[in-house]
């Protein structure tokens, strides 16, 4: 884990954005399309930690972007070139535009200051979406990535962020995947090579120090 000084330097609120990945009702909610992933996100505490990170970001002035995956009811424009996409068509819960499935899931709170970026195709929350342009316009240098899944979308987001010149921070206990023992292995052996790995508490402590500097004596 990084030292508090190193992490604090990276998490300057003026240049830091928190990206939540696919933390939507149809993915991590009680009636999710993938119950095993939803259970892992909840039982591990990852979803609760994402909510804590979002609350801490709101308190400290760190910008929050929620990346949501959805599709049109007619499926137009959606990928069909991988097993994952074809399997999604057969699931009882579909991530359809305008439905409850694509709403950000409790206990995460969305404020008017947050951005919610929706994608209709692909695997990445960044590639082919508005996220990169928003990050640049916001002056982002460090992107904190949290959510699901460790199998696909989270590593996609981290790699895309690094390839575009951002520094990525991954709160390991705010990420979930399946099977549950895959997540720490993915973080340790893959994401740790390209991102700064921390804990939710460490990230929140850096956010809180920023709040302390902003408050009058």
């Amino acid at each position: 884990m990084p030292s508090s000084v190193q992490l604090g330097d990276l998490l300057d609120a003026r240049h830091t954005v928190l990206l939540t990945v696919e933390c939507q009702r149809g993915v991590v909610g009680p009636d999710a399309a993938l119950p095993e992933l939803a259970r892992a996100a909840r039982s591990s505490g990852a979803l609760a930690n994402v909510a804590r990170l979002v609350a801490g970001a709101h308190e400290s002035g760190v910008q929050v972007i929620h990346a949501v995956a959805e599709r049109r009811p007619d499926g137009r424009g959606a990928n069909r070139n991988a097993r994952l996409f074809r399997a999604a068509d057969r699931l009882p819960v579909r991530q359809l535009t305008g439905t409850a499935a694509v709403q950000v899931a409790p206990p995460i709170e969305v404020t008017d200051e947050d951005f919610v970026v929706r994608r209709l195709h692909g695997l990445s929350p960044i590639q082919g979406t508005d996220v990169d342009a928003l990050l640049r316009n916001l002056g982002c240098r460090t992107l904190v990535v949290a959510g699901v899944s460790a199998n696909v979308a989270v590593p996609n987001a981290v790699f895309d962020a690094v390839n575009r010149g951002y520094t990525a921070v991954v709160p390991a206990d705010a990420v979930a995947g399946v099977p549950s023992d895959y997540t720490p292995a993915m973080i340790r052996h893959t994401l740790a090579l390209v991102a700064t790995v921390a804990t939710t508490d460490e990230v929140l402590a850096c956010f809180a120090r920023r709040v302390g500097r902003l408050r009058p004596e």
Side-chain angles (χ1 to χ4, degrees):
M1 295 294 178
S3 72
S4 59
V5 173
Q6 291 171 325
L7 193 61
D9 289 342
L10 290 179
L11 296 177
D12 182 332
R14 297 167 299 176
H15 303 293
T16 298
V17 173
L18 170 63
L19 179 70
T20 75
V21 179
E22 296 184 22
C23 293
Q24 57 203 76
R25 291 175 182 267
V27 176
V28 295
D31 299 315
L34 300 169
E36 185 181 2
L37 177 58
R39 283 194 297 270
R42 291 176 175 277
S43 64
S44 67
L47 184 61
N49 283 332
V50 175
R52 292 174 61 216
L53 287 166
V54 170
H58 291 158
E59 173 72 12
S60 64
V62 169
Q63 180 65 57
V64 179
I65 299 178
H66 305 280
V68 173
E70 60 182 52
R71 61 185 298 140
R72 288 166 48 121
D74 61 11
R76 288 171 61 86
N79 291 67
R80 294 180 177 81
N81 58 335
R83 236 173 76 192
L84 177 65
F85 302 123
R86 295 191 292 273
D89 282 336
R90 299 190 296 271
L91 293 172
V93 177
R94 300 174 67 199
Q95 315 301 317
L96 299 182
T97 300
T99 67
V102 296
Q103 296 174 355
V104 175
I108 299 168
E109 294 188 4
V110 181
T111 68
D112 291 339
E113 289 73 28
D114 296 356
F115 291 98
V116 180
V117 177
R118 305 178 184 280
R119 78 176 193 274
L120 292 171
H121 61 85
L123 298 169
S124 173
I126 297 178
Q127 171 67 29
T129 74
D130 291 336
V131 169
D132 184 38
L134 290 173
L135 294 178
R136 294 191 185 282
N137 290 343
L138 291 164
C140 177
R141 296 176 187 167
T142 300
L143 186 65
V144 181
V145 180
V148 298
S149 72
N151 304 78
V152 179
V154 168
N156 258 268
V158 172
F159 293 146
D160 284 348
V162 173
N163 284 335
R164 284 162 174 75
Y166 304 105
T167 297
V169 172
V170 177
D173 54 354
V175 174
V178 290
S180 58
D181 59 357
Y182 176 74
T183 300
M186 157 61 81
I187 292 172
R188 178 179 180 183
H189 298 294
T190 301
L191 297 188
L193 301 178
V194 296
T196 297
V197 177
T199 67
T200 295
D201 285 344
E202 288 171 336
V203 172
L204 288 174
C206 292
F207 287 176
R209 282 199 292 273
R210 170 67 179 172
V211 173
R213 289 198 296 271
L214 289 175
R215 286 177 176 156
E217 296 294 335

